[in-house]
Amino acid sequence: MGSVFGFLFLIAVCVAQREVSIPLSADSFRQILRTAMPVPDGRSATASDIRIIYYGTNITQPSTYRVGSIKRLLSNPNFDVRKPTTFYIHGYVELWNDFSVETVVRAYLKRGGYNILVLDWANFGFGNYIGAGLSVQTVGMETGKALLKLLKGGLSLQGLHIVGHSMGVNVAAIIARYLKSKGVKVPRLTGLDPAYPGFYPALLAVPVSPEDAGFVDIMHTDGGGFGAPASTGHADFWPNHGTAKQPGCLPLTVPLTAEDFCSHWRSWRFWAEAVEGGKFLARRCSDYDTFLRGRCRNAPLVIMGIETDTTLRGNFYLRTAAQEPFALGERGAE
């Protein structure tokens, strides 16, 4: 019943803007089926089973550490505390080896020069949505403790960049707040379409805000649907208005299927492409309609993605292509 209630909660918030049709795939109902699983096979809903996965140079051979024994990572011969570190956090009912996570990891491996850590919190992120949302406090606190151990062990704070998708953004915010309470301010926190239901307003947990890190940049791709409906960072980027349906996503979908998450998932696709070198250029503007009318063309071009200028403030708009490569360069900012 809890799982059903959780998805009824989701439907109440999101389905109003969704129209139903029949295009389906073999994976269409994967996310829905995962809500019926309290925890993934072989996992336990305990703080000690939260895991951090380290990728060296090969995506097929990662090393896994439980948060309580994270100091072992410092002894890994491939882990270089002097390198910049990206800490990626997946969303609700996702696994560390899902295509979404692997896409981001592969992008960083291709770029090179980074320690890549992935937070595997699926043991709390499965089951009903409300339960998962209420768990982000525990997950964030325990992960924050683990990261603090790495920082005390010599990991470069200056190079630390936390990137979260969907509900993972809310976990990221709590990690950053925990570290801040210990006198450690995360330099940069990036939110990829932060989860909307239950967080705006803050019913399940306080959502991400500019106070959480030195620089908070947010990418919106399904604002008001599965993603946050309003600005919530220092710099908020709104590709294609930041709402569904994103170009290339089916106009008619069955609610809560993989096809229906297309716009929400565009955020990690855009991010991965930017990491690989895609140029997503945008301009600051008051709103998307004003942007489309060309009234902000005198505003400077700025970059959305890993190379974003951390001094940016405000709302930025751009257009993308309907399929990969999504980045349009300067054309996307015209």
Side-chain angles (χ1 to χ4, degrees):
M1 286 299 293
S3 179
V4 173
F5 179 73
F7 257 86
L8 286 176
F9 177 78
L10 258 181
I11 291 171
V13 178
C14 302
V15 79
Q17 70 176 42
R18 303 286 195 259
E19 297 180 5
V20 178
S21 187
I22 58 170
L24 300 171
S25 70
D27 294 325
S28 291
F29 296 99
R30 185 188 67 179
Q31 309 303 106
I32 295 175
L33 292 173
R34 287 180 175 180
T35 68
M37 301 172 61
V39 293
D41 291 340
R43 302 295 298 277
S44 64
T46 59
S48 62
D49 198 28
I50 301 169
R51 304 174 183 184
I52 293 175
I53 300 169
Y54 164 62
Y55 291 86
T57 58
N58 192 332
I59 195 170
T60 63
Q61 296 179 326
S63 301
T64 301
Y65 304 86
R66 293 175 187 266
V67 288
S69 59
I70 194 60
K71 285 185 178 180
R72 291 173 48 219
L73 173 59
L74 296 170
S75 300
N76 189 310
N78 295 316
F79 188 71
D80 187 347
V81 295
R82 297 167 298 179
K83 283 184 178 180
T85 299
T86 293
F87 193 83
Y88 184 77
I89 308 173
H90 65 72
Y92 172 54
V93 289
E94 285 193 300
L95 293 169
W96 66 272
N97 57 352
D98 277 348
F99 179 72
S100 57
V101 179
E102 287 195 349
T103 298
V104 174
V105 171
R106 287 183 190 277
Y108 276 97
L109 289 175
K110 183 176 180 180
R111 187 179 182 94
Y114 289 81
N115 294 316
I116 308 164
L117 302 178
V118 171
L119 178 63
D120 174 9
W121 66 286
N123 60 316
F124 281 103
F126 270 45
N128 78 75
Y129 183 88
I130 294 175
L134 291 172
S135 76
V136 300
Q137 186 71 31
T138 296
V139 175
M141 293 287 286
E142 294 302 315
T143 306
K145 294 174 185 177
L147 270 181
L148 186 60
K149 291 177 182 178
L150 292 180
L151 292 167
K152 288 183 176 180
L155 182 67
S156 169
L157 172 62
Q158 183 179 3
L160 179 61
H161 183 187
I162 302 178
V163 182
H165 171 249
S166 191
M167 200 182 288
V169 183
N170 304 102
V171 174
I174 293 167
I175 293 172
R177 288 172 202 150
Y178 172 82
L179 291 174
K180 188 176 179 180
S181 73
K182 301 300 179 180
V184 178
K185 191 168 188 177
V186 173
R188 183 177 177 186
L189 190 164
T190 295
L192 306 178
D193 213 34
Y196 171 26
F199 297 96
Y200 299 87
L203 302 176
L204 301 178
V206 177
V208 65
S209 77
E211 287 72 39
D212 294 329
F215 179 62
V216 177
D217 56 316
I218 306 294
M219 187 189 299
H220 300 267
T221 56
D222 193 12
F226 296 117
S231 302
T232 190
H234 290 108
D236 288 72
F237 291 86
W238 304 84
N240 311 301
H241 197 218
T243 57
K245 301 287 190 171
Q246 288 286 314
C249 293
L250 294 172
L252 302 175
T253 54
V254 176
L256 306 177
T257 56
E259 293 77 19
D260 198 39
F261 285 107
C262 178
S263 295
H264 191 43
W265 291 349
R266 275 290 192 264
S267 57
W268 54 259
R269 288 184 181 275
F270 292 165
W271 183 261
E273 186 175 317
V275 169
E276 288 192 18
K279 297 302 181 184
F280 292 88
L281 298 181
R283 296 186 196 272
R284 181 173 178 174
C285 206
S286 58
D287 55 63
Y288 191 58
D289 182 62
T290 303
F291 167 78
L292 290 180
R293 292 175 183 271
R295 295 177 180 172
C296 299
R297 286 181 182 169
N298 290 331
L301 288 169
V302 303
I303 298 173
M304 178 185 80
I306 191 170
E307 296 178 1
T308 294
D309 181 350
T310 59
T311 66
L312 293 181
R313 299 293 184 269
N315 291 290
F316 301 85
Y317 297 88
L318 67 154
R319 295 180 299 105
T320 72
Q323 57 188 357
E324 296 179 288
F326 295 108
L328 293 175
E330 290 190 26
R331 289 190 297 119
E334 293 176 350

